[in-house]
Amino acid sequence: MENKIINYLKFKNVDGFFISKPQNVRYISNYTSDDAYLFITEKGNYFLTDPRYTEQAQIECPNYTIINWREKGKTIAESVKFIIENLNIKSFLFEGDYVNYNMAEEFKSFGLESIGVTGVVESFRSIKTEDEINKLRVACQIADRAFERIIKDIRVGITEKELASKLSHYMVMEGADTKPYGNILISGTRTSLLHGIPSNKTIEYGDFVLMDYGCGYKGYLSDMTRTVVVGKATKEQREVYSIEMQMVEDSKAAMIAGAKATDVYEASIKAIKNTKYFPYHYNGIGHGIGLFVHEIPFMGPRSTEILQENNVITIEPGIYIPNWGGVRIEDQILITKDGNECLTSSIRELIEL
Ligand code: GLY
Ligand code: MN
Ligand code: MN
């Protein structure tokens, strides 16, 4: 991937790129751990880390000059200065949305052109390679298998926290990376909390249980949501659920290469627009996903993006009614040449447990 950056640097007529966002570091260098910074130039690539990780960096990134930044100065910027002086760099880019104020000020003090940019590596990352798609596919399959296991555990009296921890355990046992990311498992009226955190609340008869979760596989993430009912669903639960199902189906039908993200949003609200539930839908209906859970393209009424072949995007319209509850179904979709493929395949019809 370094060549992509070098071509970009030539195109922009800049000498180097300091890359520090962890997902971008991983994407460019294949390094899988923490505390790592890249400095990419046409004259050579540098990898800055601390002594905890130098051995791992040497194994995973043999084409880089590995620098222990603690040896080169008090700050990471000081070791960047060392590289700049060595290579006679006159200008370099850094990630303006990630580098902190202090580091940006230090860069400025070098007295050469340091330019903050946003979204460069992210735009490369939004189009997935075959290898990335394969990893995302496995991450989704792991989440699907965990769903089959967790629904057997949902019963009156168990707490949200207990279920959430079982769900994480199942994903690891099914092959997920061990580094977790925030799964949501909430129940009853709490399901209207878009990003509710699992609590000590026990599951009760009649509750919706909303599970929004996923895992990493070799760094690549899955993200899916299913909402089930404990016991027999009420008429209103059925009604809201069936509108939600239709919203997801309509959105998926619109997810093709060349479609505007706003077209997908318009499709997503068709089934709810003329119902009393319209005020309870949420505008953010999906996002790209890969090494990070929320990445471009983002889907909603203000989005300016166009869907492209090999984007992987979640679709997750939802209905959230305060003090009553919420329903979300979320799938992970690969945009293909001729349409799309749903990478998550757990049952979507309403499950009554
Ligand atoms: N509802 C948050 C997410 O799945 O991204
Ligand atoms: Mn999710
Ligand atoms: Mn999501």
Side-chain angles (χ1 to χ4, degrees):
M1 296 294 179
E2 292 80 6
N3 279 347
K4 280 189 182 174
I5 301 294
I6 289 165
N7 288 339
Y8 182 80
L9 292 176
K10 282 187 194 155
F11 171 66
K12 290 285 177 188
N13 203 17
V14 182
D15 297 335
F17 199 159
F18 175 73
I19 296 174
S20 53
K21 202 182 270 190
Q23 296 81 20
N24 290 347
V25 168
R26 182 161 185 164
Y27 180 77
I28 298 296
S29 70
N30 290 321
Y31 174 73
T32 60
S33 198
D34 300 320
D35 194 30
Y37 312 85
L38 308 180
F39 199 88
I40 308 287
T41 76
E42 213 183 336
K43 299 176 191 164
N45 300 321
Y46 289 78
F47 189 107
L48 312 171
T49 188
D50 73 61
R52 292 172 299 167
Y53 299 111
T54 43
E55 185 182 356
Q56 183 166 349
Q58 271 151 7
I59 295 166
E60 293 183 341
C61 309
N63 299 326
Y64 283 77
T65 304
I66 313 291
I67 291 184
N68 167 7
W69 69 259
R70 289 189 193 278
E71 261 177 12
K72 297 284 179 239
K74 282 199 207 69
T75 63
I76 293 154
E78 282 181 18
S79 47
V80 171
K81 193 172 184 195
F82 165 81
I83 298 168
I84 282 170
E85 285 170 354
N86 253 339
L87 298 181
N88 195 21
I89 296 284
K90 300 273 183 276
S91 58
F92 69 98
L93 308 177
F94 64 88
E95 292 149 317
D97 60 338
Y98 195 77
V99 161
N100 69 26
Y101 178 81
N102 289 352
M103 192 184 273
E105 286 291 299
E106 272 192 88
F107 287 163
K108 224 193 279 177
S109 75
F110 298 168
L112 42 86
E113 250 194 301
S114 58
I115 307 155
V117 290
T118 300
V120 175
V121 184
E122 287 82 348
S123 73
F124 298 143
R125 280 174 39 207
S126 73
I127 309 291
K128 269 61 184 182
T129 63
E130 204 182 316
D131 179 56
E132 290 181 293
I133 291 167
N134 287 337
K135 288 172 181 155
L136 289 163
R137 200 185 289 285
V138 174
C140 291
Q141 289 163 352
I142 292 169
D144 279 331
R145 291 199 297 273
F147 181 72
E148 277 177 32
R149 294 177 70 164
I150 195 67
I151 53 173
K152 298 192 181 101
D153 293 324
I154 299 176
R155 53 180 160 73
V156 170
I158 193 164
T159 69
E160 294 172 356
K161 268 192 190 170
E162 285 168 321
L163 284 172
S165 92
K166 279 174 185 281
L167 184 54
S168 299
H169 173 72
Y170 292 152
M171 285 189 281
V172 174
M173 296 311 282
E174 292 291 343
D177 300 342
T178 50
K179 224 175 200 179
Y181 81 92
N183 293 317
I184 297 167
L185 195 152
I186 49 181
S187 63
T189 56
R190 301 188 78 240
T191 49
S192 64
L193 303 174
L194 271 82
H195 273 199
I197 293 168
S199 72
N200 289 322
K201 177 190 169 301
T202 52
I203 307 300
E204 290 165 36
Y205 184 88
D207 274 356
F208 271 136
V209 177
L210 186 154
M211 293 158 276
D212 181 349
Y213 69 98
C215 62
Y217 176 73
K218 298 192 174 172
Y220 284 83
L221 305 179
S222 52
D223 182 15
M224 62 176 269
T225 309
R226 292 294 183 267
T227 309
V228 301
V229 174
V230 181
K232 198 105 193 88
T234 63
K235 192 163 160 262
E236 192 166 24
Q237 282 175 323
R238 285 191 167 281
E239 184 180 27
V240 172
Y241 196 93
S242 78
I243 294 170
E244 166 69 7
M245 277 271 279
Q246 193 58 51
M247 290 169 74
V248 174
E249 285 314 307
D250 292 342
S251 311
K252 279 183 190 164
M255 293 176 73
I256 53 172
K260 292 186 197 142
T262 47
D263 296 340
V264 181
Y265 172 75
E266 286 305 320
S268 82
I269 59 173
K270 239 172 23 192
I272 199 169
K273 211 161 33 185
N274 297 317
T275 75
K276 65 178 179 186
Y277 300 110
F278 188 61
Y280 304 114
H281 87 288
Y282 181 67
N283 279 347
I285 58 158
H287 50 87
I289 182 163
L291 287 167
F292 194 57
V293 62
H294 298 134
E295 54 185 46
I296 54 170
F298 290 97
M299 315 264 287
R302 289 165 186 239
S303 177
T304 53
E305 284 156 305
I306 309 267
L307 274 53
Q308 296 181 68
E309 186 182 348
N310 295 335
N311 282 155
V312 174
I313 305 172
T314 72
I315 187 68
E316 51 174 314
I319 305 170
Y320 309 98
I321 307 171
N323 300 316
W324 181 81
V327 178
R328 177 159 72 250
I329 299 167
E330 175 176 24
D331 279 312
Q332 193 157 319
I333 309 286
L334 166 67
I335 307 298
T336 60
K337 200 168 180 183
D338 311 314
N340 66 54
E341 179 192 337
C342 191
L343 304 182
T344 37
S345 59
S346 296
I347 179 169
R348 281 167 212 95
E349 285 71 25
L350 180 61
I351 297 176
E352 295 172 304
L353 294 165

